[in-house]
Amino acid sequence: MKEHVYETVYLREKDFQEGRVLFETWDPNARYAWDAGIAIGRFLQELKAGRLVGTRCANCGRVMVPPRMFCEHCFVPIDEFVPLEDTGTVITFSLCYVTWDMVRIEEPQIPAVIGIDGASPGMGIMHLLGEVDPKAVKIGMRVAAVWKPPEEREGAITDILYFKPL
Amino acid sequence: MGRNRVAIVGAGMTKFVRRAQETAKELAWKAASKALESCELTLDDIDAVVVDTAPDAFDGIHMNAEYLSDGAGGWGKPVIRGYVGGGTGVFAAIQGWYHVASGLFDTVLVVCEEKMSSCQPHPQGAFLTIFDHTTERPLKPNLLWIFALEMNAYMSRYGLSKKDIALVAVKNKRNAADHPAALLGDPDITVEDILNTEVLAWPVQRGDVSPISDGAVALVMCAEHVARRVTDKPVWVEGVGWSLDTAYWTNRDLSYPTYVEEAARMAYKMAGITEPRKQIHIAEPYDPFDYKELHHLEGLLLFDKGKAPEATALGITQRDGDLPVCPSGGLLGVGNPIAAAGLMKVAEIFWQLRGEAGARQVPGQPKRGVAQAWGDLMQVGTVIVLGI
Amino acid sequence: MSLMYRIQHPRDALVWEGEIPLFSRYTMGIAGERFFREIMENGRLMGTRCPECDLIYVPPRLYCEQCFAHLDEWVEVPSTGQVHTYTIVHADLDGNPLEEPRILAFIHIDGTDGGLVHYLGEVDPDQVCIGMCVEAVFKDKAERKGGILDIAYFRPVG
């Protein structure tokens, strides 16, 4: 099948640095302002007040977080917000040693999916873990939100600094 | 349902490389012209063209498929683009299938291209926007998180070790050593080599990940009456399927790809497959990360949940095993120019079923194979079953 | 708790701002590399010819989009052409007014089936017309970098 493969010209990074190949660059300057929307707008306002909220589908009874204004299973509108605990269980986690552009970091970040107490089983959000030895993190570990001081909160997911072991 | 029978009659591809000098159009042309040449057809024989690529942000060209359509043979023809993230490559073949199965066109050229090297400072930046802009991106995630979280959930559910999973990377990189288009083939690589690579986002290490790549792949698909005229070795599309799960990925069971199972059941039903483990002889599941091959083999119902690692350890998925898996070398070995990599899997099944895979040919004259891809927000499964 | 909460103040209508932190680096490609090197090093325009379709592509291409043949016949083409169409640009990408309007034209290159999009210079906006004969003004060799801006602009001939 070798006859069905067309050769390509392989470049090395230094071919660009040392001017052996012509190229153009372009910065798309892609900046956005996204509307938080109805359900997440409320979620952010509640975060500012130091609370987590979900929504409950009147049809299937699922309590969902992040909250949404429709149930994607039943495809019906949702009009009930439900207060949730700011505690939960680690569903899964990672120890991350690189930034998105692959620069090494010494102390790992610990992203996790955290199942939130008061929501239906398996309903989690993505956040970070902190105040914990990376080696001690376990799936199933019980954790609680560590909030920014009220005066520093701005209505953002980062109003929770991280979750720490209970 | 009155669908026409559809065959694949030709395939071609470029060599996959980390950075190609060719433009996106030139890559597309190289693959498309090779595919036409392979079945001795010309552009005059082509009624319509499917051009698929993954996010425009990789090539850095908005409406990329339209931009490179002339290189894909689309000049003055009906052209369509589909896009389901990493699932795009197999979905392109599905689109080619329904163009012909519907009776609208007799002969269709299907082209997938990706030039990830254009994306600076790192192609991961193009993936950042798959995270929710309000509830996730303020945490400054990187794409590896999502894979690492899923891999950990899978390992934890079934008590798997890193070694159980690294065996997949070893198998595929060794298989790729026999692929003339491969970027990372290595006949001598060992489990220790994989386990000793840099930890990126535990449990993901560098050796668990497929390489960023540039490349293109193309197929020629046609109706039965054309296929009979063009070749005495048509490979038939027996079934297609695709399915999406919810984009609320933190609400899902990350240890099992239900959407792949749904896509597989759709394709198997169409193909009349009732016992996939007996009726499928060769598989090319999507393997951008080594654990994903295992995950997808289970979703494809080829092994019980949590049992694909054991089958891998027993050698069942080796090229000479009972169910050869990724005999091409997969994304881990051949490379991962996203959309092109998925279509490469369909091309591999085509070549294997025709007995034209050269040094990679699996023994036993396989009669039926399945290719699968995966993507979007870890939520889409795309499946195609081919047979002779 | 009702879902349809009332927004009390415009600042409560939450917007989340962000960006896609990317830039692109495009190779010129196989045909483009030669095209731009000829401009940079020799101050001339080249095209590729498809003998089958009798077409000369400018910018040159590696393949003929009509018959799909590999093109390897390179021909020097004139650096003159005709204004096929043009526009007078008064604003920058962000919509801010330009101090001097710029004239952007598609120039059909003489003797070929292609052309270039470029600026027009040494001409008043109100004197530009479709069909006007123009020629490329190359930058001094020392300033050329291997890109479309190695041509400073096109200007009226004569």
Side-chain angles (χ1 to χ4, degrees):
Chain A
M1 68 140 279
K2 199 167 181 175
E3 67 275 19
H4 304 314
V5 175
Y6 214 125
E7 281 299 317
T8 46
V9 180
Y10 171 59
L11 299 174
R12 293 174 187 282
E13 191 58 31
K14 63 182 179 187
D15 293 328
F16 292 87
Q17 319 305 345
E18 295 171 7
R20 278 196 293 274
V21 61
L22 298 178
F23 61 94
E24 288 283 356
T25 57
W26 173 262
D27 183 345
N29 192 22
R31 285 179 293 161
Y32 295 84
W34 295 284
D35 291 310
I38 306 297
I40 296 299
R42 174 66 177 269
F43 183 64
L44 297 182
Q45 288 195 326
E46 295 287 345
L47 284 169
K48 195 169 182 177
R51 295 188 292 260
L52 276 171
V53 294
T55 47
R56 188 200 321 266
C57 172
N59 197 50
C60 67
R62 288 193 308 156
V63 176
M64 292 169 261
V65 66
R68 60 211 74 166
M69 59 176 295
F70 59 89
C71 174
E72 75 269 28
H73 290 188
C74 309
F75 221 53
V76 296
I78 291 176
D79 62 3
E80 186 188 0
F81 272 91
V82 181
L84 304 175
E85 303 297 323
D86 67 353
T87 54
T89 305
V90 173
I91 293 176
T92 182
F93 69 95
S94 168
L95 308 177
C96 188
Y97 293 89
V98 287
T99 60
W100 71 267
D101 51 353
M102 303 305 275
V103 177
R104 277 226 57 94
I105 43 183
E106 282 314 309
E107 280 303 305
Q109 280 186 300
I110 314 177
V113 177
I114 297 148
I116 300 297
D117 292 342
S120 295
M123 284 284 169
I125 62 170
M126 183 174 81
H127 218 294
L128 297 163
L129 302 183
E131 291 185 49
V132 60
D133 177 356
K135 293 191 198 73
V137 181
K138 295 273 185 294
I139 288 176
M141 176 182 256
R142 298 282 299 147
V143 292
V146 176
W147 296 85
K148 279 185 183 170
E151 62 279 11
E152 289 177 24
R153 290 183 208 143
E154 50 183 356
I157 191 68
T158 47
D159 289 347
I160 296 174
L161 291 166
Y162 48 80
F163 285 73
K164 69 171 184 183
L166 264 176
Chain B
M1 275 216 285
R3 288 187 292 246
N4 292 328
R5 208 172 175 206
V6 183
I8 302 177
V9 297
M13 66 188 292
T14 68
K15 185 162 170 32
F16 288 0
V17 291
R18 174 66 184 83
R19 288 173 212 85
Q21 182 173 20
E22 286 83 352
T23 61
K25 286 171 184 260
E26 289 173 341
L27 288 170
W29 172 77
K30 284 190 165 186
S33 62
K34 277 289 184 192
L36 287 170
E37 188 185 298
S38 77
C39 52
E40 298 178 7
L41 292 181
T42 70
L43 209 49
D44 286 342
D45 300 309
I46 298 298
D47 301 322
V49 175
V50 174
V51 196
D52 286 2
T53 77
D56 287 350
F58 286 141
D59 283 21
I61 297 164
H62 187 53
M63 299 182 65
N64 190 26
E66 290 75 7
Y67 175 76
L68 52 82
S69 62
D70 55 273
W75 178 72
K77 295 184 191 298
V79 173
I80 194 172
R81 179 202 193 169
Y83 170 49
V84 282
T88 299
V90 169
F91 189 66
I94 295 174
Q95 282 186 295
W97 170 82
Y98 60 62
H99 271 55
V100 178
S102 65
L104 202 52
F105 303 104
D106 282 342
T107 310
V108 173
L109 184 58
V110 177
V111 184
C112 285
E113 180 275 347
E114 213 77 59
K115 190 167 182 192
M116 299 174 76
S117 66
S118 304
C119 193
Q120 301 286 327
H122 194 282
Q124 268 216 40
F127 286 116
L128 294 179
T129 50
I130 72 172
F131 289 99
D132 184 272
H133 46 70
T134 309
T135 59
E136 293 171 349
R137 282 177 63 192
L139 300 168
K140 303 198 187 324
N142 73 52
L143 184 74
L144 287 167
W145 286 15
I146 213 167
F147 289 99
L149 293 167
E150 190 179 70
M151 182 170 172
N152 192 13
Y154 178 64
M155 288 171 64
S156 168
R157 169 68 58 88
Y158 301 112
L160 304 172
S161 70
K162 283 298 311 282
K163 188 182 164 195
D164 296 327
I165 289 172
L167 290 170
V168 173
V170 172
K171 169 178 69 73
N172 291 2
K173 287 174 199 289
R174 285 185 181 179
N175 283 350
D178 293 321
H179 199 303
L183 171 55
L184 275 193
D186 182 348
D188 304 316
I189 199 162
T190 64
V191 173
E192 287 67 37
D193 293 334
I194 301 293
L195 295 177
N196 288 335
T197 56
E198 170 190 20
V199 177
L200 301 175
W202 184 91
V204 173
Q205 294 173 246
R206 175 134 353 235
D208 299 312
V209 190
S210 57
I212 292 157
S213 321
D214 294 351
V217 179
L219 300 179
V220 179
M221 301 178 76
C222 59
E224 182 164 10
H225 67 278
V226 178
R228 298 285 183 204
R229 202 171 66 227
V230 171
T231 179
D232 53 6
K233 289 197 291 184
V235 172
W236 303 103
V237 179
E238 298 187 341
V240 301
W242 66 102
S243 180
L244 262 83
D245 203 338
T246 172
Y248 289 101
W249 66 277
T250 58
N251 294 173
R252 280 195 253 128
D253 176 4
L254 296 176
S255 67
Y256 185 71
T258 305
Y259 43 92
V260 172
E261 179 182 328
E262 288 165 353
R265 286 189 185 281
M266 176 177 163
Y268 294 165
K269 186 177 175 199
M270 193 183 299
I273 293 172
T274 50
E275 292 180 279
R277 292 171 207 195
K278 287 187 186 158
Q279 293 168 279
I280 288 171
H281 307 140
I282 175 173
E284 279 279 342
Y286 202 59
D287 62 324
F289 288 62
D290 44 13
Y291 80 95
K292 291 302 296 184
E293 173 172 313
L294 304 166
H295 219 218
H296 294 149
L297 284 170
E298 294 166 18
L300 288 166
L301 308 172
L302 296 172
F303 296 100
D304 289 341
K305 289 181 185 180
K307 295 298 181 193
E310 192 179 310
T312 303
L314 291 170
I316 290 169
T317 60
Q318 292 286 344
R319 207 182 269 153
D320 58 357
D322 286 349
L323 178 68
V325 173
C326 290
S328 65
L331 279 50
L332 288 161
V334 186
N336 188 12
I338 310 283
L343 197 60
M344 178 275 287
K345 291 185 162 286
V346 184
E348 179 70 9
I349 300 288
F350 169 77
W351 283 316
Q352 290 285 354
L353 296 182
R354 282 168 56 121
E356 294 177 353
R360 302 188 314 286
Q361 186 63 47
V362 306
Q365 297 176 321
K367 298 281 185 288
R368 187 180 288 112
V370 62
Q372 172 259 333
W374 161 94
D376 280 352
L377 198 68
M378 317 178 62
Q379 69 187 134
V380 67
T382 51
V383 173
I384 191 165
V385 177
L386 304 181
I388 53 173
Chain C
M1 293 169 104
S2 152
L3 181 66
M4 301 304 289
Y5 67 95
R6 189 176 298 274
I7 291 173
Q8 305 290 343
H9 190 279
R11 70 166 174 263
D12 294 337
L14 293 169
V15 163
W16 194 266
E17 294 185 4
E19 62 177 332
I20 303 178
L22 288 179
F23 68 95
S24 297
R25 184 177 69 187
Y26 308 101
T27 56
M28 303 303 195
I30 304 300
E33 181 81 14
R34 170 131 183 219
F35 179 61
F36 288 110
R37 284 210 181 270
E38 290 282 0
I39 292 174
M40 178 168 67
E41 289 161 14
N42 304 316
R44 62 176 182 173
L45 299 182
M46 300 287 284
T48 51
R49 180 167 176 270
C50 176
E52 183 69 27
C53 303
D54 195 23
L55 291 170
I56 295 177
Y57 286 99
V58 177
R61 296 193 209 172
L62 185 64
Y63 54 88
C64 175
E65 67 179 19
Q66 299 192 15
C67 73
F68 236 41
H70 177 230
L71 303 184
D72 54 8
E73 184 185 338
W74 284 76
V75 290
E76 183 174 354
V77 301
S79 55
T80 57
Q82 290 190 356
V83 173
H84 181 76
T85 185
Y86 69 95
T87 179
I88 299 169
V89 183
H90 293 273
D92 69 13
L93 283 176
D94 297 321
N96 303 311
L98 292 173
E99 276 182 30
E100 288 287 327
R102 304 197 76 172
I103 311 165
L104 193 79
F106 173 65
I107 297 138
H108 174 228
I109 297 296
D110 291 338
T112 75
D113 299 283
L116 298 172
V117 173
H118 219 300
Y119 296 115
L120 298 186
E122 299 182 39
V123 61
D124 258 14
D126 52 11
Q127 284 174 347
V128 179
C129 62
I130 285 174
M132 177 181 258
C133 292
V134 293
E135 64 181 357
V137 177
F138 294 93
K139 285 183 180 166
D140 289 342
K141 192 168 181 183
E143 290 175 39
R144 293 186 211 144
K145 291 173 179 162
I148 194 66
L149 296 179
D150 286 355
I151 299 171
Y153 50 80
F154 283 72
R155 69 179 172 202
V157 176

